């Protein structure tokens, strides 16, 4: 990865594709419940950023691969850091759904 690739940020389309191929992985949407209900990536789970302390109850295995997204990438970045601090070992921030080009569910 070059310097400009780092500045470009996460690619949610690539991240969602990797998640689908990563057996047992969880695609985690950290937007609000209202944002999630308005449209989300199929098969994703919703744990809003302000309720992330409940992740341990909903995803008890700390070695579960987590692919985290939000609207623009700011909340997913915060959530990924918090999840790592909570002991999750395979956390990937894949950015914001505003760049997603795939099918959506409501």
């Amino acid at each position: 990865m070059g310097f400009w690739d780092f500045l470009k940020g996460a690619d949610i389309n690539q991240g969602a594709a990797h998640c689908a191929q990563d057996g047992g992985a969880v695609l985690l949407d950290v937007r609000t419940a209202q944002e999630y209900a308005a449209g989300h990536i199929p098969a994703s789970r919703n744990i809003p950023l302000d309720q992330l302390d409940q992740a341990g109850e909903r995803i008890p295995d700390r070695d579960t691969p987590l692919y985290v997204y939000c609207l623009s990438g700011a909340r997913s970045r915060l959530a990924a850091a918090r999840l790592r601090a909570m002991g999750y070992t395979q956390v990937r921030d894949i950015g914001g759904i505003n760049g997603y080009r795939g099918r959506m569910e409501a």
Side-chain angles (χ1 to χ4, degrees), residues 84-104:
R84 288 184 194 105
M86 293 168 68
Y88 287 92
T89 61
Q90 298 186 59
V91 181
R92 292 165 186 83
D93 172 13
I94 63 170
I97 197 169
N98 58 2
Y100 184 64
R101 294 183 302 271
R103 188 173 67 81
M104 300 276 285

Side-chain angles (χ1 to χ4, degrees), residues 7-86:
L7 289 178
K8 184 171 55 171
D11 180 339
I12 191 166
N13 298 290
Q14 187 176 50
H18 284 145
C19 182
Q21 297 171 356
D22 194 348
V26 172
L27 184 58
L28 184 60
D29 185 325
V30 297
R31 297 175 301 150
T32 66
Q34 294 81 10
E35 288 173 302
Y36 184 79
H40 57 272
I41 300 173
S44 64
R45 293 192 203 172
N46 180 231
I47 303 177
L49 180 61
D50 65 353
Q51 298 173 21
L52 206 55
D53 57 333
Q54 297 175 11
E57 299 166 16
R58 300 197 36 210
I59 308 168
D61 182 356
R62 307 289 175 156
D63 293 324
T64 300
L66 301 175
Y67 292 77
V68 185
Y69 75 92
C70 64
L71 178 64
S72 67
R75 286 177 283 181
S76 63
R77 194 169 25 259
L78 292 171
R82 283 183 55 196
L83 289 162
R84 288 184 194 105
M86 293 168 68

